Amino acid sequence: MKIQLALDRMEINEAIELTRKVEDSVDWIEVGTSLIKEFGMASVREMKQAFPAKTIVADIKTIDNARYEFEMCFEAGADVATVMGVSPLVTIDACMEVAERYNKIVMIDLLNTTEQQKRDLMKYKKAVFCEHVSKDQQEELGASNHGAVKNIYGPDMNIAAAGGITLDSLQLLRKTLNPSIVIIGSAITKAENPAEAAAKFKRVEAK
């Protein structure tokens, strides 16, 4: 199980400084949607320059204009870029084609997708599928329950989970969804000691 550090709502320099504190305990580094919206591809480019050995995820949440956005992310140094699962399939087709051309990875964000939509998306065998509890759902409704997610995935599929994951919820998540990637944001970035918090997640991951 890989740990993906989600970086949002901060300056690029803050993101780099925080990541340096925890880099030994994380595998993938996510340049969050808010960073990309505020600072553009400079945020992706600078993170890749700072951490060239790490897998950099551009959480661009593409829903249209796929070729342009994915080429932009990969040219900036991203190794993974995200597309919304509710996008038209032609959009996801384009993302997959661009990723294959660049030898990169597509992560399909399943936020607000139905079970049938998820099944339709499973034809994209090379993609990572991200079960995502939204920020608004967490903050406005106080809900971040991945335990209710139905595991409809085959054993050879790459599954990620995102949204309010804590050390306690991670244990349940491993039993229900058993993701290959867990995306951790505020449980590390807002911790009093981010390095210590990240190390605790790493110890759980290693079990």
Side-chain angles (χ1 to χ4, degrees), residues 127-131 151 153-154 157-161 177-182:
V128 176
F129 295 88
C130 180
E131 286 284 359
N151 190 344
Y153 305 101
M157 300 184 76
N158 284 318
I159 309 303
L177 196 59
N178 193 27
S180 51
I181 302 157
V182 287

Side-chain angles (χ1 to χ4, degrees), residues 62-74:
T62 288
I63 198 164
D64 192 19
N65 204 16
R67 290 185 188 281
Y68 176 79
E69 292 191 359
F70 264 49
E71 286 174 355
M72 185 168 58
C73 289
F74 296 146

Side-chain angles (χ1 to χ4, degrees), residues 111-166:
L111 184 66
N112 213 39
T113 54
T114 64
E115 187 172 319
Q116 185 56 54
Q117 284 174 311
K118 291 176 186 179
R119 292 188 186 280
D120 291 342
L121 291 166
M122 287 184 194
K123 68 176 184 175
Y124 300 108
K125 302 296 186 185
K126 294 182 179 179
V128 176
F129 295 88
C130 180
E131 286 284 359
H132 185 185
V133 177
S134 76
K135 180 65 70 176
D136 287 338
Q137 191 172 337
Q138 296 171 56
E139 294 183 346
E140 306 298 329
L141 302 178
S144 59
N145 182 17
H146 284 92
V149 173
K150 186 176 179 182
N151 190 344
I152 60 173
Y153 305 101
D156 57 341
M157 300 184 76
N158 284 318
I159 309 303
I165 295 172
T166 63

